[in-house]
Amino acid sequence: MNYFIIAIIVAIVLGPIMWMMPSARQRQQVALRQYALAQGLQIKVCDLPQSHRQRVRKAPAMQGVIYRLPLANKRPITMTQVYCLSRTEFVSDQFSPQPEPAIASPQADVYEWQGDSLAAMEAEFTAALQHCPASAVAIEYSAAGVACYWQERGGNAAVDQIKSALAALREQLKQGELTS
C-alpha cells in the first residue's frame, strides 16, 4: 500500500512537469526556426493570407509563419505598399467547392493578389511561389523584404527552397529597380 501511495504522489508531482514539456512537433519547429535564423531569414508567427472566397465566407484565419529575407539595400526604403501574391485552392467548378490538393502543382494552382497588384512582376512572383514547398501559401514584397507565408511543413530542405526562391525574387526585384 505504501508503494501505491508513493507512486500516486510521484505522478502528481511529475504530471504538471511533463505537461509543460514541448511536444515533438514543437521541438521540430524550434529546430527549423533556428536553422532559418542561421540562414539569415527573419521569422514571424502570423495569420496566413486568405483567398477572396475565404474572406467572403468569413472563414477563420489559419495560423502560419512568415519567413522573410531582408532587402540588401544600404539606403532605407520609403515604399509603403505591400505586394502579396497568394496561392489559392483550385476549384474546377465555381459552384461546387473542391478540397485543396495535398501537393500543389503548377497546373492546379490559382494565384490571387492580396491588396495592391504588381502586375509587371507577376511572372516572377508566380515562379518564386512555385519554387517554394507545397505548403507555402503566399509570397510578399514590402519595405521589410521579400517573404514567404507557409505552414512549416517540411525540414531544412524546405527552408533552403524558400531561401533560394526569395533570394532569386529579391535579385529580380533589384534588377527591375523596384527596391528603391
Side-chain angles (χ1 to χ4, degrees):
M1 185 68 175
N2 288 339
Y3 292 112
F4 182 69
I5 293 173
I6 292 173
I8 289 176
I9 291 173
V10 168
I12 290 173
V13 171
L14 291 180
I17 294 171
M18 295 305 290
W19 182 69
M20 291 178 9
M21 297 293 292
S23 68
R25 173 73 177 138
Q26 290 170 333
R27 285 192 294 271
Q28 179 188 11
Q29 283 180 331
V30 168
L32 196 63
R33 291 173 185 174
Q34 287 175 341
Y35 179 76
L37 286 171
Q39 299 298 314
L41 296 169
Q42 298 170 347
I43 301 159
K44 180 181 174 189
V45 177
C46 67
D47 290 336
L48 295 175
Q50 293 184 312
S51 67
H52 176 71
R53 183 171 153 211
Q54 290 169 327
R55 289 190 305 271
V56 168
R57 291 182 174 188
K58 296 183 170 84
M62 290 179 54
Q63 196 75 32
V65 180
I66 298 176
Y67 279 47
R68 185 178 312 279
L69 186 62
L71 297 176
N73 287 352
K74 298 199 182 348
R75 58 191 163 122
I77 296 180
T78 58
M79 74 181 257
T80 57
Q81 294 92 354
V82 175
Y83 303 102
C84 182
L85 183 69
S86 66
R87 179 185 291 158
T88 63
E89 64 272 4
F90 177 71
V91 179
S92 61
D93 179 12
Q94 62 180 350
F95 299 111
S96 65
Q98 302 288 324
E100 191 170 338
I103 299 175
S105 62
Q107 57 269 39
D109 288 342
V110 176
Y111 300 100
E112 173 181 274
W113 286 101
Q114 305 283 322
D116 294 333
S117 169
L118 189 58
M121 297 295 288
E122 185 166 357
E124 290 80 357
F125 274 73
T126 303
L129 194 50
Q130 287 174 348
H131 285 98
C132 289
S135 59
V137 177
I139 294 286
E140 177 186 89
Y141 168 56
S142 66
V146 289
C148 177
Y149 289 81
W150 76 307
Q151 299 169 347
E152 282 189 313
R153 294 187 187 138
N156 292 348
V159 173
D160 292 336
Q161 270 185 292
I162 289 172
K163 183 179 179 195
S164 66
L166 293 178
L169 180 61
R170 181 176 67 180
E171 288 304 312
Q172 291 169 342
L173 290 167
K174 190 184 295 184
Q175 290 172 0
E177 297 295 325
L178 293 172
T179 58
S180 56

